[in-house]
């Protein structure tokens, strides 16, 4: 299994130790939000310093042949974390090449991505979905053979999290049972991370490299490690609200009339 997906599953399934005098059971690991570094460019000096503190790394790949070679080099430079490829219009061939290069997982959009990536069962599969996706399609996504879901918002300019983002993330968490990843700005705060966790987010993706401060991921790692995360609640439990009939008020009126 993918190393990253294994981490995500352990995060989403973490539960507290039951109290009482029963026999000791295996305790799930302490809940902790995952931190993933995304690289828009591969030729970054001091790569290990940029991604220090991350649970995984992600490289944007638009050409499987060149991307596989670059990914293999990156996996050798920073081998202590799993690495994945963010596929961009890659076509149908070459998936075996990036798998051999050491790719642990792939992120892909549903449009223009061939079903051929399903042939490799060892690769973790994270589906990137748009925020505007309908409820029906989101429920369909939950039944697809993918391991997690990513929603990535705008990342240009002075990008910051808003209440609208939180509404969208809550909607995804309510409709999906799969682990949820979101893209966040590097300036994300401790209180924002805590709120995202409570909303239902298991992992955040942060851009590193040119234009981003070196060592920021290490700072975020320390921030996350100091936070206290409540055990993950059950996902996909959104229920429809039933209309109020008002029968009780009618009964009270009749009793007063008597």
């Amino acid at each position: 299994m993918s190393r990253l997906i294994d981490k995500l599953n352990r995060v989403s399934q973490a539960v507290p130790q039951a109290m009482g005098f029963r026999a000791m059971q295996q305790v799930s690991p302490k809940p902790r939000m995952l931190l993933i570094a995304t690289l828009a460019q591969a030729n970054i000096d001091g790569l290990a310093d940029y991604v220090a503190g991350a649970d995984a790394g992600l490289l944007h790949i638009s050409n499987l042949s060149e991307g596989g070679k670059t990914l293999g080099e990156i996996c050798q430079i920073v081998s202590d974390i799993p690495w994945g490829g963010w596929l961009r219009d890659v076509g149908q061939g070459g998936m075996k090449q990036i798998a051999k290069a050491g790719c642990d997982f792939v992120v892909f959009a549903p449009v223009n991505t061939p079903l051929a990536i399903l042939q490799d069962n060892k690769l973790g599969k994270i589906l990137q979905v748009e925020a505007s996706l309908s409820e029906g399609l989101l429920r369909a996504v939950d039944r697809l053979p993918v391991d997690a879901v990513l929603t990535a918002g705008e990342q240009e300019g002075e990008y910051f999290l808003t209440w609208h983002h939180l509404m969208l993330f809550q909607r995804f968490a309510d409709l999906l049972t799969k682990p949820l990843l979101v893209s966040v700005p590097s300036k994300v705060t401790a209180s924002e991370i805590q709120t995202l966790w409570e909303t239902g987010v298991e992992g955040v993706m942060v851009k590193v490299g040119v234009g981003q401060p070196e060592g920021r991921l290490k700072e975020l790692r320390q921030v996350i490690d100091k936070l206290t995360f409540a055990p993950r609640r059950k996902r996909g439990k959104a229920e429809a609200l039933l209309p109020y009939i008002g029968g009780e008020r009618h009964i009270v009126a009749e009793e007063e009339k008597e």
Side-chain angles (χ1 to χ4, degrees):
M1 175 185 285
S2 159
R3 291 164 59 192
L4 172 63
I5 300 304
D6 182 56
K7 289 182 179 182
L8 276 174
N9 289 337
R10 283 189 277 116
V11 167
S12 62
Q13 296 171 4
V15 295
Q17 173 67 37
M19 298 181 63
F21 298 97
R22 293 179 300 177
M24 293 293 293
Q25 297 179 353
Q26 184 176 0
V27 181
S28 297
K30 178 182 177 181
R32 187 188 73 165
M33 181 175 285
L34 296 188
L35 182 60
I36 302 173
T38 63
L39 305 177
Q41 300 177 353
N43 54 343
I44 299 177
D45 295 332
L47 176 62
D49 294 329
Y50 272 104
V51 301
D55 294 291
L58 181 64
L59 174 67
H60 289 247
I61 296 178
S62 56
N63 182 289
L64 287 176
S65 178
E66 297 178 1
K69 180 180 179 181
T70 304
L71 191 61
E73 296 173 353
I74 290 178
C75 289
Q76 292 181 354
I77 296 174
V78 184
S79 59
D80 58 333
I81 61 174
W83 283 89
W86 197 331
L87 309 182
R88 307 279 186 159
D89 298 325
V90 294
Q92 297 189 27
M95 289 303 299
K96 292 183 178 180
Q97 186 170 349
I98 66 169
K100 290 181 179 180
C103 184
D104 179 78
F105 63 97
V106 290
V107 176
F108 59 95
V111 180
N112 298 328
T113 301
L115 288 176
I117 67 170
L118 296 175
Q119 295 177 359
D120 195 320
N121 294 326
K122 295 181 180 179
L123 285 177
K125 300 170 183 63
I126 301 175
L127 184 66
Q128 177 188 351
V129 294
E130 299 295 331
S132 59
L133 212 61
S134 68
E135 178 178 334
L137 286 178
L138 277 176
R139 295 191 182 280
V141 166
D142 210 36
R143 299 179 181 179
L144 294 180
V146 295
D147 302 297
V149 175
L150 164 69
T151 176
E154 66 277 11
Q155 294 286 310
E156 302 300 330
E158 293 296 325
Y159 169 58
F160 57 92
L161 294 174
T162 66
W163 283 96
H164 185 250
H165 288 112
L166 193 62
M167 292 163 59
L168 294 173
F169 299 158
Q170 185 67 73
R171 175 172 174 264
F172 275 78
D174 287 342
L175 294 175
L176 297 171
T177 60
K178 298 181 184 297
L180 177 61
L181 304 172
V182 301
S183 293
V184 299
S186 61
K187 296 181 180 180
V188 63
T189 65
S191 60
E192 289 174 332
I193 292 175
Q194 185 81 56
T195 300
L196 292 179
W197 174 268
E198 293 171 357
T199 300
V201 175
E202 275 89 5
V204 293
M205 291 188 175
V206 179
K207 184 186 296 183
V208 299
V210 179
Q212 302 296 333
E214 184 177 338
R216 176 52 181 158
L217 241 61
K218 185 180 293 185
E219 295 176 0
L220 283 178
R221 174 80 282 152
Q222 295 174 353
V223 168
I224 291 175
D225 290 343
K226 291 179 181 179
L227 292 175
T228 300
F229 296 114
R232 173 59 59 218
R233 63 182 176 80
K234 291 185 178 181
R235 300 284 298 277
K237 289 296 182 180
E239 297 179 356
L241 294 177
L242 297 177
Y244 175 72
I245 300 176
E248 183 178 351
R249 181 180 301 176
H250 177 69
I251 295 174
V252 173
E254 288 185 352
E255 290 177 351
E256 291 178 352
K257 185 177 179 181
E258 293 179 356

